[in-house]
Amino acid sequence: CERLGRLGIPVFLAHGTQDEVVPFSRGEDTLKLLRSLGYTVEWHAYPMPHTMSMPEVNDLSAWLRQLLA
């Protein structure tokens, strides 16, 4: 199934643009690497530090609901 990506492993990737622990560029590099390896990645960037936010939780929840539908 195309929506599952490489080897049937779905990937949700998110990163905070103000992350002081892991540079934002590392998230972008991870996205590029996964896509170059054939993974289908849902990528989200959020204006937040190294934490979780409700917009991220909501996006992840919607992604999971769609994946499991």
Side-chain angles (χ1 to χ4, degrees):
C1 177
E2 180 63 30
R3 70 181 178 166
L4 294 181
R6 182 180 172 95
L7 303 176
I9 301 170
V11 178
F12 180 95
L13 184 62
H15 205 101
T17 58
Q18 302 160 4
D19 192 330
E20 70 285 351
V21 178
V22 180
F24 184 74
S25 61
R26 293 293 184 147
E28 293 175 313
D29 292 344
T30 301
L31 172 64
K32 290 175 191 171
L33 176 63
L34 288 171
R35 285 187 173 162
S36 75
L37 293 172
Y39 289 90
T40 301
V41 181
E42 177 148 344
W43 163 254
H44 294 267
Y46 301 95
M48 64 182 191
H50 191 77
T51 189
M52 293 284 296
S53 67
M54 280 313 297
E56 181 180 11
V57 170
N58 291 336
D59 289 342
L60 177 58
S61 176
W63 179 77
L64 285 170
R65 282 193 309 272
Q66 179 184 14
L67 188 69
L68 298 174

